[in-house]
mmCIF file of all heavy atoms in Angstrom:
data_model
loop_
_atom_site.group_PDB
_atom_site.id
_atom_site.type_symbol
_atom_site.label_atom_id
_atom_site.label_comp_id
_atom_site.label_asym_id
_atom_site.label_seq_id
_atom_site.Cartn_x
_atom_site.Cartn_y
_atom_site.Cartn_z
ATOM 1 N N SER A 1 -23.141 3.896 -10.231
ATOM 2 C CA SER A 1 -23.633 2.567 -10.233
ATOM 3 C C SER A 1 -25.052 2.485 -10.806
ATOM 4 O O SER A 1 -25.399 1.554 -11.555
ATOM 5 C CB SER A 1 -23.606 1.959 -8.826
ATOM 6 O OG SER A 1 -22.308 1.905 -8.349
ATOM 7 N N ARG A 2 -25.849 3.468 -10.459
ATOM 8 C CA ARG A 2 -27.256 3.467 -10.969
ATOM 9 C C ARG A 2 -27.284 3.703 -12.480
ATOM 10 O O ARG A 2 -28.243 3.295 -13.179
ATOM 11 C CB ARG A 2 -28.021 4.597 -10.288
ATOM 12 C CG ARG A 2 -28.356 4.284 -8.807
ATOM 13 C CD ARG A 2 -29.396 5.281 -8.293
ATOM 14 N NE ARG A 2 -28.965 6.638 -8.319
ATOM 15 C CZ ARG A 2 -28.283 7.217 -7.277
ATOM 16 N NH1 ARG A 2 -28.097 6.588 -6.154
ATOM 17 N NH2 ARG A 2 -27.943 8.508 -7.336
ATOM 18 N N GLN A 3 -26.229 4.338 -13.030
ATOM 19 C CA GLN A 3 -26.159 4.580 -14.476
ATOM 20 C C GLN A 3 -25.492 3.442 -15.196
ATOM 21 O O GLN A 3 -25.331 3.550 -16.462
ATOM 22 C CB GLN A 3 -25.471 5.939 -14.754
ATOM 23 C CG GLN A 3 -26.187 7.139 -14.198
ATOM 24 C CD GLN A 3 -25.399 8.406 -14.408
ATOM 25 O OE1 GLN A 3 -24.323 8.389 -15.000
ATOM 26 N NE2 GLN A 3 -25.918 9.527 -13.946
ATOM 27 N N GLY A 4 -25.069 2.407 -14.545
ATOM 28 C CA GLY A 4 -24.513 1.229 -15.208
ATOM 29 C C GLY A 4 -23.024 1.357 -15.373
ATOM 30 O O GLY A 4 -22.324 0.641 -16.188
ATOM 31 N N TYR A 5 -22.315 2.222 -14.540
ATOM 32 C CA TYR A 5 -20.891 2.367 -14.567
ATOM 33 C C TYR A 5 -20.237 1.824 -13.314
ATOM 34 O O TYR A 5 -20.934 1.636 -12.241
ATOM 35 C CB TYR A 5 -20.493 3.850 -14.760
ATOM 36 C CG TYR A 5 -20.924 4.501 -16.025
ATOM 37 C CD1 TYR A 5 -21.982 5.459 -15.987
ATOM 38 C CD2 TYR A 5 -20.349 4.200 -17.201
ATOM 39 C CE1 TYR A 5 -22.381 6.066 -17.189
ATOM 40 C CE2 TYR A 5 -20.762 4.767 -18.415
ATOM 41 C CZ TYR A 5 -21.791 5.734 -18.391
ATOM 42 O OH TYR A 5 -22.180 6.362 -19.542
ATOM 43 N N GLU A 6 -18.971 1.527 -13.431
ATOM 44 C CA GLU A 6 -18.230 1.122 -12.267
ATOM 45 C C GLU A 6 -16.952 1.931 -12.234
ATOM 46 O O GLU A 6 -16.467 2.431 -13.260
ATOM 47 C CB GLU A 6 -17.869 -0.352 -12.248
ATOM 48 C CG GLU A 6 -17.019 -0.813 -13.353
ATOM 49 C CD GLU A 6 -16.723 -2.339 -13.285
ATOM 50 O OE1 GLU A 6 -16.585 -2.810 -12.160
ATOM 51 O OE2 GLU A 6 -16.689 -2.959 -14.390
ATOM 52 N N MET A 7 -16.417 2.171 -10.970
ATOM 53 C CA MET A 7 -15.256 2.995 -10.822
ATOM 54 C C MET A 7 -14.215 2.271 -9.981
ATOM 55 O O MET A 7 -14.489 1.486 -9.063
ATOM 56 C CB MET A 7 -15.709 4.287 -10.000
ATOM 57 C CG MET A 7 -14.503 5.200 -9.606
ATOM 58 S SD MET A 7 -15.065 6.612 -8.608
ATOM 59 C CE MET A 7 -15.905 7.533 -9.965
ATOM 60 N N LYS A 8 -12.947 2.546 -10.317
ATOM 61 C CA LYS A 8 -11.795 2.007 -9.558
ATOM 62 C C LYS A 8 -10.797 3.084 -9.303
ATOM 63 O O LYS A 8 -10.609 3.991 -10.140
ATOM 64 C CB LYS A 8 -11.113 0.858 -10.320
ATOM 65 C CG LYS A 8 -11.863 -0.500 -10.322
ATOM 66 C CD LYS A 8 -10.974 -1.625 -10.799
ATOM 67 C CE LYS A 8 -11.680 -2.939 -10.652
ATOM 68 N NZ LYS A 8 -10.738 -4.091 -10.912
ATOM 69 N N THR A 9 -10.273 3.033 -8.127
ATOM 70 C CA THR A 9 -9.236 4.030 -7.752
ATOM 71 C C THR A 9 -7.909 3.565 -8.247
ATOM 72 O O THR A 9 -7.737 2.388 -8.664
ATOM 73 C CB THR A 9 -9.168 4.222 -6.217
ATOM 74 O OG1 THR A 9 -8.663 2.985 -5.640
ATOM 75 C CG2 THR A 9 -10.479 4.547 -5.625
ATOM 76 N N TRP A 10 -6.873 4.452 -8.245
ATOM 77 C CA TRP A 10 -5.595 4.106 -8.749
ATOM 78 C C TRP A 10 -4.935 3.033 -7.891
ATOM 79 O O TRP A 10 -4.106 2.246 -8.404
ATOM 80 C CB TRP A 10 -4.731 5.354 -8.829
ATOM 81 C CG TRP A 10 -4.441 5.981 -7.486
ATOM 82 C CD1 TRP A 10 -5.206 6.983 -6.763
ATOM 83 C CD2 TRP A 10 -3.291 5.742 -6.637
ATOM 84 N NE1 TRP A 10 -4.629 7.239 -5.633
ATOM 85 C CE2 TRP A 10 -3.406 6.536 -5.491
ATOM 86 C CE3 TRP A 10 -2.178 4.895 -6.727
ATOM 87 C CZ2 TRP A 10 -2.526 6.564 -4.428
ATOM 88 C CZ3 TRP A 10 -1.193 4.921 -5.681
ATOM 89 C CH2 TRP A 10 -1.429 5.732 -4.601
ATOM 90 N N VAL A 11 -5.319 2.971 -6.628
ATOM 91 C CA VAL A 11 -4.734 1.916 -5.788
ATOM 92 C C VAL A 11 -5.253 0.531 -6.223
ATOM 93 O O VAL A 11 -4.538 -0.420 -6.300
ATOM 94 C CB VAL A 11 -5.111 2.150 -4.303
ATOM 95 C CG1 VAL A 11 -4.620 1.016 -3.423
ATOM 96 C CG2 VAL A 11 -4.486 3.434 -3.801
ATOM 97 N N GLU A 12 -6.582 0.462 -6.530
ATOM 98 C CA GLU A 12 -7.168 -0.808 -7.000
ATOM 99 C C GLU A 12 -6.590 -1.144 -8.355
ATOM 100 O O GLU A 12 -6.580 -2.377 -8.680
ATOM 101 C CB GLU A 12 -8.650 -0.644 -7.060
ATOM 102 C CG GLU A 12 -9.330 -0.430 -5.684
ATOM 103 C CD GLU A 12 -10.801 -0.073 -5.830
ATOM 104 O OE1 GLU A 12 -11.161 0.745 -6.703
ATOM 105 O OE2 GLU A 12 -11.603 -0.587 -5.054
ATOM 106 N N LEU A 13 -6.240 -0.228 -9.100
ATOM 107 C CA LEU A 13 -5.680 -0.508 -10.506
ATOM 108 C C LEU A 13 -4.273 -0.920 -10.450
ATOM 109 O O LEU A 13 -3.789 -1.482 -11.486
ATOM 110 C CB LEU A 13 -5.911 0.685 -11.385
ATOM 111 C CG LEU A 13 -7.309 1.091 -11.770
ATOM 112 C CD1 LEU A 13 -7.291 2.462 -12.365
ATOM 113 C CD2 LEU A 13 -7.937 0.041 -12.696
ATOM 114 N N ASN A 14 -3.563 -0.734 -9.353
ATOM 115 C CA ASN A 14 -2.088 -0.962 -9.300
ATOM 116 C C ASN A 14 -1.784 -1.923 -8.126
ATOM 117 O O ASN A 14 -1.538 -1.395 -7.017
ATOM 118 C CB ASN A 14 -1.338 0.331 -9.228
ATOM 119 C CG ASN A 14 -1.443 1.200 -10.412
ATOM 120 O OD1 ASN A 14 -0.929 0.905 -11.475
ATOM 121 N ND2 ASN A 14 -2.110 2.379 -10.250
ATOM 122 N N SER A 15 -1.874 -3.166 -8.375
ATOM 123 C CA SER A 15 -1.627 -4.131 -7.269
ATOM 124 C C SER A 15 -0.101 -3.998 -6.857
ATOM 125 O O SER A 15 0.167 -4.280 -5.701
ATOM 126 C CB SER A 15 -1.911 -5.500 -7.730
ATOM 127 O OG SER A 15 -1.150 -5.910 -8.898
ATOM 128 N N PHE A 16 0.758 -3.642 -7.759
ATOM 129 C CA PHE A 16 2.143 -3.530 -7.471
ATOM 130 C C PHE A 16 2.375 -2.451 -6.359
ATOM 131 O O PHE A 16 3.204 -2.622 -5.469
ATOM 132 C CB PHE A 16 2.958 -3.152 -8.694
ATOM 133 C CG PHE A 16 4.415 -2.889 -8.475
ATOM 134 C CD1 PHE A 16 5.245 -3.901 -8.191
ATOM 135 C CD2 PHE A 16 4.930 -1.585 -8.426
ATOM 136 C CE1 PHE A 16 6.654 -3.729 -7.945
ATOM 137 C CE2 PHE A 16 6.283 -1.348 -8.200
ATOM 138 C CZ PHE A 16 7.120 -2.401 -7.955
ATOM 139 N N TYR A 17 1.589 -1.399 -6.400
ATOM 140 C CA TYR A 17 1.641 -0.359 -5.408
ATOM 141 C C TYR A 17 1.324 -0.875 -4.027
ATOM 142 O O TYR A 17 2.048 -0.648 -3.061
ATOM 143 C CB TYR A 17 0.769 0.798 -5.691
ATOM 144 C CG TYR A 17 0.683 1.898 -4.661
ATOM 145 C CD1 TYR A 17 1.709 2.858 -4.547
ATOM 146 C CD2 TYR A 17 -0.352 1.906 -3.754
ATOM 147 C CE1 TYR A 17 1.630 3.779 -3.550
ATOM 148 C CE2 TYR A 17 -0.404 2.856 -2.777
ATOM 149 C CZ TYR A 17 0.590 3.796 -2.641
ATOM 150 O OH TYR A 17 0.540 4.791 -1.682
ATOM 151 N N THR A 18 0.261 -1.658 -3.909
ATOM 152 C CA THR A 18 -0.170 -2.233 -2.613
ATOM 153 C C THR A 18 0.913 -3.107 -2.071
ATOM 154 O O THR A 18 1.254 -3.076 -0.872
ATOM 155 C CB THR A 18 -1.461 -3.039 -2.781
ATOM 156 O OG1 THR A 18 -2.473 -2.124 -3.386
ATOM 157 C CG2 THR A 18 -1.947 -3.551 -1.423
ATOM 158 N N GLN A 19 1.535 -3.931 -2.899
ATOM 159 C CA GLN A 19 2.610 -4.850 -2.505
ATOM 160 C C GLN A 19 3.853 -4.038 -2.048
ATOM 161 O O GLN A 19 4.452 -4.421 -1.034
ATOM 162 C CB GLN A 19 2.952 -5.742 -3.608
ATOM 163 C CG GLN A 19 1.857 -6.738 -4.032
ATOM 164 C CD GLN A 19 2.092 -7.407 -5.402
ATOM 165 O OE1 GLN A 19 3.100 -7.122 -6.019
ATOM 166 N NE2 GLN A 19 1.174 -8.265 -5.805
ATOM 167 N N THR A 20 4.076 -2.959 -2.782
ATOM 168 C CA THR A 20 5.278 -2.123 -2.407
ATOM 169 C C THR A 20 5.058 -1.465 -1.073
ATOM 170 O O THR A 20 5.967 -1.443 -0.227
ATOM 171 C CB THR A 20 5.540 -1.076 -3.513
ATOM 172 O OG1 THR A 20 5.776 -1.691 -4.750
ATOM 173 C CG2 THR A 20 6.710 -0.194 -3.128
ATOM 174 N N VAL A 21 3.842 -0.945 -0.823
ATOM 175 C CA VAL A 21 3.523 -0.263 0.444
ATOM 176 C C VAL A 21 3.660 -1.241 1.607
ATOM 177 O O VAL A 21 4.237 -0.956 2.663
ATOM 178 C CB VAL A 21 2.156 0.366 0.386
ATOM 179 C CG1 VAL A 21 1.741 0.852 1.823
ATOM 180 C CG2 VAL A 21 2.139 1.554 -0.560
ATOM 181 N N THR A 22 3.048 -2.430 1.390
ATOM 182 C CA THR A 22 3.148 -3.454 2.447
ATOM 183 C C THR A 22 4.653 -3.860 2.764
ATOM 184 O O THR A 22 4.975 -3.921 3.975
ATOM 185 C CB THR A 22 2.426 -4.709 1.999
ATOM 186 O OG1 THR A 22 1.062 -4.388 1.691
ATOM 187 C CG2 THR A 22 2.435 -5.779 3.087
ATOM 188 N N LEU A 23 5.452 -3.966 1.777
ATOM 189 C CA LEU A 23 6.834 -4.256 1.944
ATOM 190 C C LEU A 23 7.568 -3.183 2.750
ATOM 191 O O LEU A 23 8.217 -3.474 3.739
ATOM 192 C CB LEU A 23 7.528 -4.490 0.609
ATOM 193 C CG LEU A 23 9.033 -4.727 0.603
ATOM 194 C CD1 LEU A 23 9.409 -5.976 1.375
ATOM 195 C CD2 LEU A 23 9.613 -4.732 -0.797
ATOM 196 N N TYR A 24 7.367 -1.902 2.312
ATOM 197 C CA TYR A 24 8.095 -0.796 2.960
ATOM 198 C C TYR A 24 7.554 -0.606 4.377
ATOM 199 O O TYR A 24 8.396 -0.308 5.293
ATOM 200 C CB TYR A 24 7.945 0.418 2.143
ATOM 201 C CG TYR A 24 8.831 0.444 0.943
ATOM 202 C CD1 TYR A 24 8.383 0.843 -0.325
ATOM 203 C CD2 TYR A 24 10.174 0.145 1.028
ATOM 204 C CE1 TYR A 24 9.204 0.874 -1.410
ATOM 205 C CE2 TYR A 24 11.022 0.207 -0.061
ATOM 206 C CZ TYR A 24 10.520 0.593 -1.302
ATOM 207 O OH TYR A 24 11.349 0.593 -2.351
ATOM 208 N N ARG A 25 6.263 -0.802 4.624
ATOM 209 C CA ARG A 25 5.778 -0.669 5.935
ATOM 210 C C ARG A 25 6.305 -1.628 6.925
ATOM 211 O O ARG A 25 6.669 -1.381 8.138
ATOM 212 C CB ARG A 25 4.241 -0.726 5.969
ATOM 213 C CG ARG A 25 3.472 0.266 5.136
ATOM 214 C CD ARG A 25 3.498 1.656 5.785
ATOM 215 N NE ARG A 25 2.579 2.555 5.044
ATOM 216 C CZ ARG A 25 2.788 3.820 4.870
ATOM 217 N NH1 ARG A 25 3.851 4.400 5.405
ATOM 218 N NH2 ARG A 25 1.875 4.558 4.239
ATOM 219 N N GLN A 26 6.452 -2.904 6.426
ATOM 220 C CA GLN A 26 7.037 -3.974 7.224
ATOM 221 C C GLN A 26 8.526 -3.730 7.499
ATOM 222 O O GLN A 26 8.951 -3.926 8.632
ATOM 223 C CB GLN A 26 6.865 -5.287 6.530
ATOM 224 C CG GLN A 26 5.423 -5.813 6.490
ATOM 225 C CD GLN A 26 5.285 -7.112 5.728
ATOM 226 O OE1 GLN A 26 6.213 -7.573 5.104
ATOM 227 N NE2 GLN A 26 4.089 -7.761 5.915
ATOM 228 N N GLN A 27 9.220 -3.171 6.504
ATOM 229 C CA GLN A 27 10.614 -2.858 6.707
ATOM 230 C C GLN A 27 10.807 -1.743 7.787
ATOM 231 O O GLN A 27 11.655 -1.801 8.640
ATOM 232 C CB GLN A 27 11.238 -2.381 5.388
ATOM 233 C CG GLN A 27 11.470 -3.531 4.399
ATOM 234 C CD GLN A 27 12.038 -3.066 3.061
ATOM 235 O OE1 GLN A 27 12.016 -1.868 2.720
ATOM 236 N NE2 GLN A 27 12.601 -3.998 2.283
ATOM 237 N N PHE A 28 9.923 -0.753 7.732
ATOM 238 C CA PHE A 28 10.008 0.304 8.705
ATOM 239 C C PHE A 28 9.650 -0.163 10.088
ATOM 240 O O PHE A 28 10.297 0.205 11.055
ATOM 241 C CB PHE A 28 9.095 1.491 8.261
ATOM 242 C CG PHE A 28 9.177 2.693 9.245
ATOM 243 C CD1 PHE A 28 10.355 3.393 9.331
ATOM 244 C CD2 PHE A 28 8.062 3.044 9.956
ATOM 245 C CE1 PHE A 28 10.410 4.479 10.157
ATOM 246 C CE2 PHE A 28 8.158 4.118 10.819
ATOM 247 C CZ PHE A 28 9.391 4.822 10.910
ATOM 248 N N GLY A 29 8.599 -0.989 10.147
ATOM 249 C CA GLY A 29 8.309 -1.595 11.467
ATOM 250 C C GLY A 29 9.430 -2.379 12.090
ATOM 251 O O GLY A 29 9.727 -2.266 13.249
ATOM 252 N N PHE A 30 10.131 -3.139 11.221
ATOM 253 C CA PHE A 30 11.301 -3.883 11.660
ATOM 254 C C PHE A 30 12.394 -2.960 12.150
ATOM 255 O O PHE A 30 13.088 -3.215 13.089
ATOM 256 C CB PHE A 30 11.858 -4.843 10.521
ATOM 257 C CG PHE A 30 12.934 -5.680 10.935
ATOM 258 C CD1 PHE A 30 12.690 -6.701 11.898
ATOM 259 C CD2 PHE A 30 14.180 -5.584 10.302
ATOM 260 C CE1 PHE A 30 13.773 -7.485 12.273
ATOM 261 C CE2 PHE A 30 15.159 -6.496 10.629
ATOM 262 C CZ PHE A 30 15.036 -7.434 11.629
ATOM 263 N N LEU A 31 12.571 -1.839 11.427
ATOM 264 C CA LEU A 31 13.588 -0.829 11.713
ATOM 265 C C LEU A 31 13.286 -0.248 13.064
ATOM 266 O O LEU A 31 14.169 0.041 13.918
ATOM 267 C CB LEU A 31 13.675 0.201 10.611
ATOM 268 C CG LEU A 31 14.752 1.307 10.814
ATOM 269 C CD1 LEU A 31 16.156 0.647 10.822
ATOM 270 C CD2 LEU A 31 14.653 2.294 9.731
ATOM 271 N N VAL A 32 12.007 0.050 13.333
ATOM 272 C CA VAL A 32 11.596 0.665 14.607
ATOM 273 C C VAL A 32 11.969 -0.276 15.740
ATOM 274 O O VAL A 32 12.532 0.143 16.824
ATOM 275 C CB VAL A 32 10.076 0.903 14.640
ATOM 276 C CG1 VAL A 32 9.643 1.294 16.080
ATOM 277 C CG2 VAL A 32 9.744 2.047 13.707
ATOM 278 N N VAL A 33 11.719 -1.607 15.572
ATOM 279 C CA VAL A 33 12.018 -2.593 16.600
ATOM 280 C C VAL A 33 13.553 -2.605 16.854
ATOM 281 O O VAL A 33 14.025 -2.693 18.032
ATOM 282 C CB VAL A 33 11.494 -3.989 16.192
ATOM 283 C CG1 VAL A 33 11.999 -5.048 17.200
ATOM 284 C CG2 VAL A 33 9.994 -3.977 16.138
ATOM 285 N N ILE A 34 14.352 -2.618 15.785
ATOM 286 C CA ILE A 34 15.799 -2.654 15.888
ATOM 287 C C ILE A 34 16.243 -1.434 16.656
ATOM 288 O O ILE A 34 17.156 -1.512 17.539
ATOM 289 C CB ILE A 34 16.479 -2.775 14.505
ATOM 290 C CG1 ILE A 34 16.167 -4.095 13.849
ATOM 291 C CG2 ILE A 34 17.918 -2.531 14.608
ATOM 292 C CD1 ILE A 34 16.714 -4.258 12.473
ATOM 293 N N ILE A 35 15.870 -0.300 16.241
ATOM 294 C CA ILE A 35 16.344 0.978 16.938
ATOM 295 C C ILE A 35 15.867 1.044 18.368
ATOM 296 O O ILE A 35 16.614 1.425 19.239
ATOM 297 C CB ILE A 35 15.855 2.284 16.130
ATOM 298 C CG1 ILE A 35 16.655 2.326 14.794
ATOM 299 C CG2 ILE A 35 16.128 3.519 16.945
ATOM 300 C CD1 ILE A 35 16.299 3.457 13.969
ATOM 301 N N LEU A 36 14.662 0.559 18.656
ATOM 302 C CA LEU A 36 14.214 0.512 20.007
ATOM 303 C C LEU A 36 15.070 -0.374 20.861
ATOM 304 O O LEU A 36 15.470 -0.025 22.008
ATOM 305 C CB LEU A 36 12.757 0.060 20.050
ATOM 306 C CG LEU A 36 12.108 -0.082 21.473
ATOM 307 C CD1 LEU A 36 12.149 1.203 22.227
ATOM 308 C CD2 LEU A 36 10.701 -0.668 21.364
ATOM 309 N N ALA A 37 15.445 -1.560 20.264
ATOM 310 C CA ALA A 37 16.343 -2.492 21.008
ATOM 311 C C ALA A 37 17.715 -1.884 21.247
ATOM 312 O O ALA A 37 18.285 -2.027 22.345
ATOM 313 C CB ALA A 37 16.451 -3.816 20.225
ATOM 314 N N MET A 38 18.276 -1.179 20.208
ATOM 315 C CA MET A 38 19.520 -0.581 20.347
ATOM 316 C C MET A 38 19.504 0.485 21.443
ATOM 317 O O MET A 38 20.433 0.651 22.187
ATOM 318 C CB MET A 38 20.050 -0.014 19.001
ATOM 319 C CG MET A 38 20.312 -1.073 17.985
ATOM 320 S SD MET A 38 20.771 -0.328 16.307
ATOM 321 C CE MET A 38 22.193 0.578 16.721
#
């Protein structure tokens, strides 16, 4: 930053990845609830 540069991680560069992770985490959480109920 002091040298006038900026940096981004691969997660920040790929919004599709963040959306995919959120979707799969929610699906797994729902699966945990279903199996717990069963």
